[in-house]
Structure formats: structure tokens, C-alpha cells
């Protein structure tokens, strides 16, 4: 299976996270949504919600407010917006403000998981994000005094260090020779996946990940560690917020 193919749709954002506008053709339309041959709408996954945006065609627009993932990627249109017929040439556009905020937020979570792992060895057990707000769960039995402030300071240092955030495709065998990947992804990447997308905050954190990220840690723009919650039995939840 091609890693950037979902059903009949080529996922353009896998290779180019900066892409915001592109040309496409409608392959299918139903009440479940619109299938394009090419799409840069992030469909959701790994805690990152789907993109919003618009399809422009024939002098009208179809607003896109979500994506349904099945055999195909189906773009969910807004209420009673007009729908393009099969074969229509459309111009797709991802809403930039929301996507860019989500890229910063997603990269912030990877930075946070890298910092917390380096400091404590704690593994991530879950996470979720909205634009500029996120939480990440860790298996962390002991929280030393001043932990929140210490993590905040380390996050600030890593943002200021402006580490490159690189995306690469590699074979499953190649990817699983990276120790960090084994730590985070052994149980998450299904056996039928032969090509793995790797997101590397160079020198800090390497993960198998399909999400969209900014190009360097400085572009995250800052990380406010809002709260460390004790959810019991070694389960700690860290909440972060990013500046506008
Ligand atoms: Zn991720």
C-alpha cells in the first residue's frame, strides 16, 4: 500500500505540510461526503482533528467541515452548501489559520513527550489536541516537586533551540531499527503497513506519525504548561496551551 494513498485519494499533505491550495477532480459524491483524487485536508488521526476548508468550483463554494475515514476519505460538506458532481474540477483550499495552529500544537506535543521522556523515562499513553490547546497522558508514577515549572523551562529551552523537525518515509524494517520508534510505535503501526512516516525533532524525539508539523521548534512559538493532573495509578495528564 502506498503510504500517501487512502482509498482513491492521494494525500498531498503527507509529503508537503505547507500546501494550502491545489487542483483536484471529484471522484464520488454521496450523503457521506465528497471523494477527491487529490487532497491536502488532514483527515484526522493521532490526536490531531481534521482540517477545515473549502472547495471552489463553477463560481460557488462547498465548505468542508470535517473528513470521514472509511475505505475512502470523504470530505464532509457544511449543511446545505452546493455539492459538485462527479468529474467536476475543483480548487481545494485548507483553512490556514486553523491548520497552522494545529501544526504548532502537534509539534508542541512531540516536543513535550521528548522532554518528559528524557527527564523521566515516562511513556506517552494518550493525547488529544484542539488548535493551540492540548493534553498528553504519561505513565509517570512519581512527580517530583516543581515538575510543572521544570518541564515548562525545558520546553522553553527546546523551542528557543530551534531544532529542525523533519519528515521522512522509510520501510518498516528501517524505521523499527530506530530505538525511539520501537518505544512509541511497535504496538501502534499495524503489521500490514510497510512504509512508515517518521517525524523527527532532530536530537530530541523521533516518532512514527502521520500528522502535520511545523518545520522547526521555534515555529511552535512557545508552550505554556498549564496543569499536571494526577489521574491515579501512575497516570499523569499534562495540559499545555500555545500563544496566539
Ligand atoms: Zn503525533
Amino acid at each position: 500500500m502506498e503510504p500517501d494513498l487512502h482509498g482513491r485519494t492521494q494525500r498531498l499533505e503527507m509529503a508537503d505540510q505547507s500546501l494550502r491550495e491545489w487542483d483536484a477532480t471529484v471522484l464520488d459524491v454521496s450523503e457521506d461526503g465528497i471523494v477527491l483524487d487529490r487532497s491536502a485536508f488532514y483527515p484526522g488521526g493521532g490526536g490531531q482533528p481534521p482540517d477545515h476548508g473549502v472547495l471552489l468550483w463553477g463560481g460557488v463554494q462547498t465548505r468542508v467541515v470535517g473528513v470521514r475515514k472509511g475505505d475512502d476519505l470523504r470530505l464532509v460538506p457544511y449543511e446545505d452548501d452546493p455539492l459538485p458532481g462527479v468529474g467536476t474540477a475543483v480548487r481545494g483550499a485548507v483553512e490556514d489559520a486553523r491548520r497552522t495552529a494545529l501544526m504548532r500544537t502537534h509539534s508542541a506535543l512531540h516536543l513535550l513527550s521528548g522532554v518528559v521522556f528524557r527527564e523521566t523515562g515516562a511513556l506517552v499513553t494518550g493525547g488529544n489536541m484542539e488548535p493551540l490547546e492540548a493534553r498528553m497522558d504519561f505513565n509517570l508514577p512519581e512527580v517530583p516537586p516543581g515538575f510543572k515549572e521544570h518541564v515548562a523551562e525545558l520546553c522553553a529551552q527546546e523551542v528557543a533551540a530551534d531544532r529542525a523537525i523533519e519528515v521522512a518515509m522509510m520501510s518498516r524494517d528501517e524505521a523499527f531499527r530506530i530505538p525511539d520508534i520501537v518505544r512509541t510505535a511497535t504496538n501502534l503501526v499495524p503489521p500490514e503497513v510497510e512504509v512508515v512516516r517518521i517525524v523527527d525533532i532532530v536530537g530530541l524525539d523521533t516518532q512514527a506519525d502521520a500528522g502535520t508539523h511545523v518545520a522547526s521548534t521555534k515555529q511552535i512559538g512557545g508552550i505554556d504548561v498549564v496543569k499536571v493532573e494526577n489521574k491515579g495509578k501512575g497516570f499523569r495528564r499534562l495540559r499545555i496551551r500555545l500563544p496566539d
Side-chain angles (χ1 to χ4, degrees):
M1 196 183 86
E2 292 294 318
D4 61 349
L5 208 61
H6 185 125
R8 290 171 283 176
T9 306
Q10 190 191 353
R11 286 182 56 182
L12 304 174
E13 88 287 0
M14 296 276 273
D16 184 358
Q17 304 167 99
S18 68
L19 185 68
R20 295 291 184 270
E21 290 186 41
W22 68 100
D23 292 314
T25 302
V26 175
L27 299 181
D28 191 41
V29 183
S30 73
E31 54 191 26
D32 288 336
I34 302 158
V35 180
L36 299 181
D37 61 341
R38 309 161 77 234
S39 170
F41 287 103
Y42 184 68
Q48 181 180 339
D51 285 330
H52 294 171
V54 71
L55 304 178
L56 302 169
W57 53 279
V60 297
Q61 64 171 16
T62 308
R63 284 165 289 180
V64 173
V65 293
V67 184
R68 286 194 186 94
K69 290 190 288 185
D71 292 343
D72 273 311
L73 288 181
R74 293 193 173 269
L75 306 179
V76 180
Y78 181 73
E79 288 180 357
D80 296 327
D81 278 5
L83 298 178
V86 172
T88 305
V90 300
R91 182 89 180 147
V94 166
E95 187 191 308
D96 179 62
R98 174 182 163 87
R99 161 68 90 73
T100 299
L102 286 167
M103 288 167 71
R104 290 171 54 208
T105 309
H106 200 153
S107 295
L109 282 182
H110 283 218
L111 186 153
L112 178 69
S113 75
V115 161
V116 171
F117 179 74
R118 195 177 61 193
E119 287 299 296
T120 68
L123 297 179
V124 172
T125 56
N128 206 15
M129 76 195 85
E130 290 299 322
L132 307 183
E133 251 184 42
R135 63 171 169 80
M136 185 156 259
D137 298 336
F138 294 91
N139 182 2
L140 181 60
E142 296 296 326
V143 175
F147 180 71
K148 179 165 91 86
E149 291 70 22
H150 184 52
V151 168
E153 173 58 28
L154 294 170
C155 286
Q157 284 171 16
E158 294 297 345
V159 170
D162 203 18
R163 292 181 188 271
I165 304 177
E166 295 175 352
V167 172
M169 299 286 197
M170 56 183 77
S171 73
R172 187 188 181 82
D173 289 350
E174 203 179 347
F176 281 7
R177 280 198 288 270
I178 304 172
D180 276 0
I181 301 301
V182 177
R183 150 168 83 84
T184 55
T186 310
N187 302 320
L188 297 177
V189 179
E192 65 271 20
V193 175
E194 284 160 14
V195 177
V196 181
R197 185 172 181 272
I198 300 298
V199 174
D200 185 21
I201 303 181
V202 176
L204 178 65
D205 182 78
T206 310
Q207 295 186 31
D209 191 271
T212 60
H213 291 266
V214 291
S216 80
T217 57
K218 199 168 253 177
Q219 292 179 20
I220 293 170
I223 300 174
D224 184 10
V225 180
V226 181
K227 220 186 216 176
V228 178
E229 295 170 307
N230 184 353
K231 296 285 185 180
K233 289 202 172 168
F235 171 11
R236 295 294 189 285
R237 174 168 289 170
L238 272 71
R239 292 187 183 277
I240 62 169
R241 198 169 289 147
L242 278 66
D244 276 335

